[in-house]
Amino acid sequence: MRPRFHDDDRLAIGLDIGGTKIAAGVVDAGGRIVERVPAVPCPSDQAAILKAVSVLVEELHSRNPGTVAVGVGAAGLIHWPEGRIRTAPNNAYRDLPLRRLLQEATGLPALVDNDANAACWAEYRKGNSAAYMAFVTVGTGVGGGLVLADRLFRGRTGIAMEFGHTIVDPHGTERCGCGIVGCLEPLASGRALGRYGSAAAAAEPGGTLATLAGGPGRVTGETVSAAARTGDPAARAQLERLGHWLGIGIATLVNLFDVELVVVGGGVAEAGELLLAPTRSSFARYVTAGAHRELPDIRPARLGPEAGWIGAALLALDQDGPDGGV
């Protein structure tokens, strides 16, 4: 039975701390957006990031006195439930006890979780609901969240579902940012799509990809998606290539957890069916016993780039005990 969530006038502030910016806003217990603010640059220094977050919280709290908690979704390995950021891929801070510092600075109960977990919870609560669902985010990197029996699954210490570091090609040539060869992330991320597109543009310097980018060396993942939408076959081939690897990763995920729904979000997923169609095809090819089981639906996320801070706020309101478990 799906747990009941309060739908009342309590408010929570949500923040999504990324590698380059901090997005924030306020939602009520039903997940309705009360206020959103423009994203601000994210410092890399520990003291500066705490200051930036504290200022945002103070401003939002002053305008929304019904705020009872603050939730943070942050990129990196988050020790749960302590809310300590062990390491972050695009920031210099290490072992940052953000939950404790935020509570001390704001006087509000705080929750700090991985950004993909937060986005997953937002989709579960407000977009795509299933008792057993996986959320996969495909952007600059690849991440994921998992709901099992209507509860967010974090593992023993909070660092479960590092989906981008699923090993799919151990004998390949692409080294992941984590230092390992074989991870899904360097094969199925926005950076990977840009790399694929650059190679395709170099092979056809007069083609659509190179023309749109202003040269083969300037192709990005966004360029590939834009060219694919015009019908360019070279660009579509690169999305198919990325979908091939993403489908393999999702097949492994489904083999392990038997989820009923897979939601795909992130900037690259904005390519829609140009990415999802080859992903589904690859998934069906590699999932175990595909002809003898009900395959989960693979569908696009609904909440877009706001899912991270919305989910963080909802997690702060939905926590049901001193450990913040939901």
Side-chain angles (χ1 to χ4, degrees), residues 136-138 142-143 163 168 184 187-189 240-252 264 268-269 275-276 278-280 282-283 298:
V136 172
T137 176
V138 186
V142 176
F163 181 63
V168 295
L184 177 64
L187 298 170
S189 62
E240 290 171 4
R241 182 179 179 184
L242 189 142
H244 164 78
W245 290 111
L246 186 60
I248 290 174
I250 292 174
T252 299
V264 182
V268 178
L275 172 65
L276 292 181
T279 297
R280 293 189 192 103
S282 175
F283 162 73
I298 299 176

Side-chain angles (χ1 to χ4, degrees), residues 53-221:
V53 168
S54 298
V55 168
L56 279 171
V57 171
E58 182 179 350
E59 292 176 352
L60 288 167
H61 194 192
S62 67
R63 294 194 294 269
N64 299 276
T67 299
V68 298
V70 56
V72 176
L77 299 183
I78 315 296
H79 192 280
W80 180 264
E82 181 184 348
R84 172 171 52 87
I85 305 178
R86 303 178 189 217
T87 182
N90 298 302
N91 299 86
Y93 49 77
R94 299 290 183 270
D95 287 317
L96 175 64
L98 184 58
R99 182 183 184 187
R100 176 178 62 80
L101 294 175
L102 193 55
Q103 288 180 159
E104 292 173 353
T106 66
L108 289 170
L111 176 145
V112 177
D113 207 339
N114 175 265
D115 56 349
N117 282 347
C120 176
W121 193 247
E123 286 290 333
Y124 168 77
R125 287 275 269 107
K126 296 299 297 177
N128 294 285
S129 295
Y132 293 81
M133 65 163 279
F135 174 76
V136 172
T137 176
V138 186
T140 302
V142 176
L146 187 66
V147 171
L148 299 178
D150 293 301
R151 291 178 66 87
L152 189 61
F153 177 75
R154 298 181 177 91
R156 181 175 61 89
T157 63
I159 60 173
M161 270 304 287
E162 284 294 319
F163 181 63
H165 302 290
T166 304
I167 303 300
V168 295
D169 188 24
H171 301 295
T173 59
E174 296 301 330
R175 185 174 299 276
C176 182
C178 73
I180 295 174
V181 172
C183 291
L184 177 64
E185 183 165 288
L187 298 170
S189 62
R191 285 180 176 144
L193 188 60
R195 191 176 69 251
Y196 298 157
S198 293
E204 191 180 356
T208 301
L209 273 173
T211 301
L212 278 179
R218 302 180 66 181
V219 173
T220 64

Side-chain angles (χ1 to χ4, degrees), residues 245-319:
W245 290 111
L246 186 60
I248 290 174
I250 292 174
T252 299
L253 185 61
V254 171
N255 288 345
L256 288 171
F257 296 105
D258 190 28
V259 296
E260 58 189 297
L261 172 66
V262 179
V263 177
V264 182
V268 178
E270 293 176 7
E273 288 301 309
L274 293 171
L275 172 65
L276 292 181
T279 297
R280 293 189 192 103
S281 177
S282 175
F283 162 73
R285 177 181 177 187
Y286 289 102
V287 70
T288 298
H292 305 282
R293 66 192 297 174
E294 290 186 34
L295 296 182
D297 189 14
I298 299 176
R299 69 173 71 144
R302 294 180 180 176
L303 299 182
E306 295 186 314
W309 68 261
I310 292 172
L314 286 171
L315 282 170
L317 289 172
D318 292 341
Q319 56 186 321

